[in-house]
Amino acid sequence: MLNIIKISILVPIYNVSKYIERCAHSLMEQSYENIEYVFVDDCTPDNSITLLKGVIAKYPHRQNQVKIISHEHNKGLAGARITALNSATGDYVFHVDADDYIAPDAVEKLSLQAISSDSDIVDASYSKVDGNKIVCTNAPYKGSKIDYLHLIVGRTGLVNNQIWGKLIKKSLYDDNNINAIEGIDYGEDYSVFPKLLFHSQKRTWIDSVVYYYNVSNATSYMHSVSKKAMESYVRAEISIYEYFMSQKERCKDLLFSLDFGFANIYKFARQYGQPISIIDKMYHFHSRYTLINFYTLTLKHHITYIVGRVMFVIIKNAYYTQLLKK
């Protein structure tokens, strides 16, 4: 296997002592050689870094490829991703969460596809695991870019918008000034990946399972939805809405899906029993765009936008009423 391109594997570290050794072994044992490992210690309170260093010591040929960067204070998941990305020097980046792990030939297969197709993004299958048991396997979305964007920003839940498990060209971040937003830790992937997809010129995929997503970590962001997490989720939604509104001339066809995505926030809030005060902030923000958008659209997009607004109000009011009863 030609190691033509350099791959930066980016891993935030926080309170993962139970899982970090399995993750690190899977990274060090990659069949692909030209890898840069960037671990970010986000002031982890446990012995994760000690365990990590213990694993690295077992792979002397990899030691010069490893960076361990320590934050002076905890910055959260998004802050750790920012530090990792800014430190990466590879042609492509590959995000891995420290409680997950990857297949031995993951980087090799993804890199081969990237080289042969000159893709900006290479996606792949991933499996959800509980301990050593595979719960289910999810294939990459194989539709068009615009359809993929519709499904993501519409918050349909039908496609994967996670940042991990994908090989992404570093220049796609750099050339378009895209990065995580510090403080948005829950919904962090959503605040980044739609922007990358929007600016990508070519996205391809492989069917192989390259990533194993751990569903048993009760301390992960995805296992609990606190008030703080819900506020982060809303911030992620607002950031994407603002971003695509700033690109409105190129994104008019996404308006309906953006409104539908906003409406689905109410469904999410209802599901996790969150207070309406958080959602009210989002609703007032969203309403400010109504007249501005209406007067700057063509007739065709007026119709789409009106339908989107009606759908938003119907769904919003249905869940808002349920939230008020809590």
Side-chain angles (χ1 to χ4, degrees):
M1 170 65 190
L2 293 175
N3 292 271
I4 298 173
I5 57 175
K6 182 178 181 180
I7 308 300
S8 295
I9 297 182
L10 313 182
V11 189
I13 305 291
Y14 186 81
N15 203 25
V16 287
S17 59
K18 186 176 179 180
Y19 310 102
I20 185 60
E21 290 177 298
R22 180 179 64 177
C23 176
H25 278 297
S26 77
L27 303 182
M28 297 296 130
E29 292 178 1
Q30 288 299 297
S31 56
Y32 194 82
E33 289 298 323
N34 194 7
I35 298 176
E36 170 188 61
Y37 300 92
V38 183
F39 297 95
V40 178
D41 173 12
D42 194 29
C43 299
T44 184
D46 60 8
N47 64 337
S48 293
I49 298 302
T50 300
L51 294 172
L52 171 63
K53 290 179 177 178
V55 173
I56 294 169
K58 297 177 182 178
Y59 301 88
H61 67 293
R62 293 288 195 190
Q63 289 181 25
N64 291 334
Q65 299 171 267
V66 176
K67 298 178 183 176
I68 300 177
I69 303 169
S70 297
H71 282 165
E72 293 184 359
H73 62 274
N74 178 264
K75 296 185 178 182
L77 176 60
R81 291 231 200 268
I82 292 168
T83 297
L85 185 67
N86 290 343
S87 302
T89 61
D91 301 294
Y92 286 80
V93 298
F94 186 64
H95 296 276
V96 177
D97 288 344
D99 53 348
D100 303 331
Y101 60 99
I102 63 177
D105 56 357
V107 176
E108 180 179 346
K109 287 182 175 179
L110 290 166
S111 298
L112 183 61
Q113 177 66 17
I115 293 168
S116 63
S117 63
D118 191 28
S119 297
D120 292 322
I121 300 172
V122 182
D123 208 344
S125 298
Y126 72 95
S127 292
K128 294 182 179 181
V129 294
D130 187 351
N132 294 318
K133 179 182 177 182
I134 294 178
V135 178
C136 64
T137 296
N138 297 275
Y141 180 72
K142 298 179 181 180
S144 68
K145 181 173 86 170
I146 187 62
D147 288 345
Y148 197 10
L149 279 169
H150 276 295
L151 290 169
I152 292 174
V153 302
R155 294 288 200 176
T156 62
L158 299 174
V159 292
N160 166 25
N161 60 48
Q162 274 70 40
I163 208 73
W164 44 254
K166 298 173 174 65
L167 199 64
I168 302 169
K169 192 172 283 187
K170 178 67 158 50
S171 60
L172 193 59
Y173 283 94
D174 297 339
D175 294 348
N176 299 291
N177 195 28
I178 298 171
N179 212 327
I181 302 170
E182 190 167 341
I184 297 182
D185 298 318
Y186 193 94
E188 171 264 336
D189 302 83
Y190 180 74
S191 69
V192 175
F193 184 66
K195 300 173 188 176
L196 294 169
L197 181 61
F198 173 70
H199 287 287
S200 65
Q201 296 301 309
K202 190 172 186 180
R203 170 186 167 267
T204 60
W205 50 83
I206 59 176
D207 290 319
S208 303
V209 173
V210 303
Y211 196 95
Y212 295 91
Y213 172 65
N214 176 23
V215 298
S216 62
N217 183 7
T219 64
S220 73
Y221 282 100
M222 297 308 295
H223 270 76
S224 61
V225 183
S226 63
K227 181 179 179 181
K228 181 179 179 181
M230 191 66 209
E231 288 174 342
S232 174
Y233 192 77
V234 168
R235 283 187 62 195
E237 185 69 38
I238 288 174
S239 75
I240 285 297
Y241 199 95
E242 287 183 318
Y243 188 81
F244 284 112
M245 286 299 100
S246 71
Q247 309 274 344
K248 189 161 51 183
E249 289 305 311
R250 301 170 60 192
C251 301
K252 289 178 179 177
D253 289 331
L254 285 177
L255 289 176
F256 176 87
S257 294
L258 286 165
D259 278 327
F260 197 77
F262 253 88
N264 274 327
I265 294 289
Y266 287 87
K267 178 180 178 181
F268 186 81
R270 170 63 179 169
Q271 179 182 350
Y272 287 97
Q274 293 301 313
I276 60 173
S277 58
I278 297 173
I279 313 302
D280 274 343
K281 295 177 184 177
M282 182 189 69
Y283 179 64
H284 293 313
F285 158 83
H286 182 257
S287 297
R288 293 202 303 270
Y289 277 93
T290 304
L291 289 177
I292 297 173
N293 291 335
F294 188 80
Y295 285 115
T296 56
L297 299 176
T298 63
L299 178 60
K300 171 189 172 183
H301 291 98
H302 270 145
I303 296 171
T304 301
Y305 186 69
I306 290 170
V307 173
R309 284 293 300 173
V310 170
M311 288 293 294
F312 173 84
V313 171
I314 290 173
I315 298 175
K316 175 259 177 187
N317 284 343
Y319 284 102
Y320 192 87
T321 300
Q322 293 179 57
L323 285 166
L324 282 172
K325 292 177 180 179
K326 290 187 69 64

